[in-house]
Amino acid sequence: RLRPRGTLPAACCPPSWAVRAGVAAMGAEVSHRAGDYQEPQLPPGTFEVRISVYKLELTGVGFLDHIGASLTGAYHSGLVVANSEWAFGGHDVEGKSGIYKTAPEQNPDYIFYKRVIVGQVNQSMEQIRATVRQQYQSEKWCGVNYDLIERNCNHFVSDLCWALLKKRPPAWINSTADSMASNRRRDRMQRETLERSLAEYRAEFGASSPAKRTVEGEDGGGHEVPNVPGAAAFQDAFAATFELAWNRRSKDLRALAAALEADCPPGEDSEARRSSAERAALEESSSAAVAAARAVAAAARIAAEAREAQPAEGLSAWDARWIRESSALLREWREEAAAGRLDADPQGDQGSRRAEQVYVALAAAGEAAAAQAAHPRSPMAANGQVATAAAVVA
């Protein structure tokens, strides 16, 4: 029998995972002992399909393992059909499937928890074997492709269940891994989109900037990039807007998942529906973040030029007023972007409106700088605000 890489055999979730999404399982009624189930008498060509759900052996102490697996939501599962249980685990052999067979409810590497009856399939034994064989031969389920978060035993059971019945298992079985996988995809999309869009921004506005600065790469090493005006503001606005947009859309995703779990139309793939909705939410969040970042960076470039023209004696007043005037604009633009209403094109109608808003704010800051230059305050008061404004126009 094939086993996954790592310290846990075919584990769908590592024991260190904290309470996240498996709490719903705590209310589930514990089933009878493993192997005492009698399948119903069915007509020839009809087979029951069920899922064996196991808890992980986290401590080696039986009752503690039963409690711990429920708290973490970490489960292993196998699909039972025609008196065979099929499961998936990882290994290091290239080109070899990670799918393996055990006796129903008797996987020796786990603690049997409960059985979930999914339905009945009207197929011959050969048709069922052909369906399993198709999964077995798929590169997707090679043992080297096993991933605790995004391609584990429960994902395999879900796909095999769909192939046989056009139904998905209950979401609680893999909810912990699904939650962490969603977070991973979100972080990956945010990181990759920021890297790409920031590189485009630097290429567009950095040609005339001879100054360089060192940034840390993913490998931990440093490399020089143009010190482009507005780049820091671009990054800050991107992060804040992506978070805002994603938080709003994730609420809709949770509502969709709950609705599909409660009442998924027959024959509709709830997993495909959720995945499609998540991809759309990630793309919308990325587009919103880029739009806000470019709008804020454009304002920061204009502000940086305006600041350089101010008298040294009036800089602290200019900084304080610009911060106050621009903060409301930044919030407004982020909100518009998160709602999908922000057009980042500086030549468009919205771009013209934003430019007017910026120049009004700059005029107010200029007046404050002139007033302070005419009546200078103490150097200590001035130094306290100059540093604060550096990030605003960076």
Side-chain angles (χ1 to χ4, degrees), residues 15-360:
S16 61
W17 288 4
V19 177
R20 285 217 177 184
V23 177
M26 294 178 61
E29 187 176 318
V30 178
S31 72
H32 299 95
R33 292 176 301 175
D36 68 354
Y37 179 69
Q38 295 294 322
E39 290 192 358
Q41 295 294 322
L42 299 173
T46 300
F47 296 90
E48 183 178 72
V49 178
R50 69 180 191 270
I51 298 172
S52 298
V53 183
Y54 299 83
K55 295 181 178 182
L56 308 184
E57 193 168 358
L58 307 179
T59 68
V61 181
F63 78 94
L64 290 179
D65 288 333
H66 277 283
I67 296 172
S70 291
L71 289 175
T72 61
Y75 300 103
H76 169 79
S77 67
L79 186 136
V80 179
V81 62
N83 204 37
S84 294
E85 180 170 310
W86 299 94
F88 173 66
H91 56 68
D92 297 315
V93 182
E94 290 286 345
K96 191 170 185 177
S97 179
I99 297 173
Y100 63 95
K101 182 173 72 170
T102 65
E105 304 179 1
Q106 299 297 320
N107 193 317
D109 294 323
Y110 306 98
I111 305 167
F112 181 75
Y113 172 48
K114 68 179 300 181
R115 65 187 64 89
V116 178
I117 310 301
V118 185
Q120 297 175 356
V121 58
N122 296 314
Q123 292 183 3
S124 67
M125 182 72 76
E126 184 53 40
Q127 287 175 312
I128 292 173
R129 288 171 180 164
T131 299
V132 175
R133 189 180 307 116
Q134 185 177 30
Q135 303 292 321
Y136 189 90
Q137 295 172 346
S138 170
E139 182 180 355
K140 179 178 182 179
W141 302 115
C142 284
V144 294
N145 293 329
Y146 181 92
D147 184 274
L148 284 168
I149 296 176
E150 297 193 71
R151 190 172 297 177
N152 62 36
C153 52
N154 300 322
H155 293 110
F156 162 72
V157 166
S158 179
D159 275 14
L160 182 55
C161 191
W162 177 257
L164 289 169
L165 291 175
K166 292 297 181 284
K167 292 177 66 176
R168 293 287 182 180
W172 62 263
I173 296 176
N174 202 38
S175 58
T176 298
D178 284 342
S179 177
M180 297 195 74
S182 179
N183 290 336
R184 176 194 280 182
R185 290 188 292 270
R186 173 210 182 279
D187 292 343
R188 183 166 55 229
M189 174 68 87
Q190 181 176 357
R191 182 182 65 255
E192 292 176 353
T193 305
L194 175 58
E195 290 175 354
R196 183 177 62 255
S197 59
L198 185 58
E200 293 171 352
Y201 177 83
R202 285 188 171 125
E204 184 177 355
F205 296 103
S208 59
S209 178
K212 302 281 186 178
R213 67 186 184 95
T214 302
V215 298
E216 184 177 342
E218 289 187 1
D219 57 359
H223 61 280
E224 288 190 337
V225 297
N227 190 21
V228 183
F234 186 104
Q235 295 179 75
D236 291 343
F238 182 97
T241 308
F242 190 99
E243 186 75 16
L244 178 63
W246 173 252
N247 286 343
R248 291 181 177 178
R249 286 159 177 79
S250 61
K251 293 179 181 178
D252 295 335
L253 293 177
R254 289 193 294 270
L256 173 63
L260 291 173
E261 182 73 7
D263 185 22
C264 184
E268 180 174 353
D269 189 349
S270 59
E271 178 61 31
R273 179 97 174 267
R274 286 195 300 267
S275 296
S276 177
E278 183 188 88
R279 283 194 300 272
L282 287 171
E283 291 170 359
E284 291 170 2
S285 299
S286 296
S287 297
V290 172
R294 294 190 72 87
V296 172
R301 291 196 309 273
I302 298 172
E305 293 180 3
R307 189 174 187 274
E308 290 179 357
Q310 303 305 312
E313 299 83 357
L315 279 180
S316 63
W318 188 96
D319 292 340
R321 189 59 178 270
W322 168 249
I323 291 172
R324 186 164 66 250
E325 297 288 338
S326 63
S327 294
L329 299 181
L330 303 187
R331 286 194 299 270
E332 176 187 331
W333 300 342
R334 285 197 298 266
E335 288 286 343
E336 290 180 349
R341 299 193 304 266
L342 183 70
D343 179 6
D345 182 5
Q347 307 303 321
D349 292 340
Q350 289 190 25
S352 299
R353 178 177 60 83
R354 287 194 300 272
E356 291 176 3
Q357 292 175 311
V358 169
Y359 287 122
V360 169

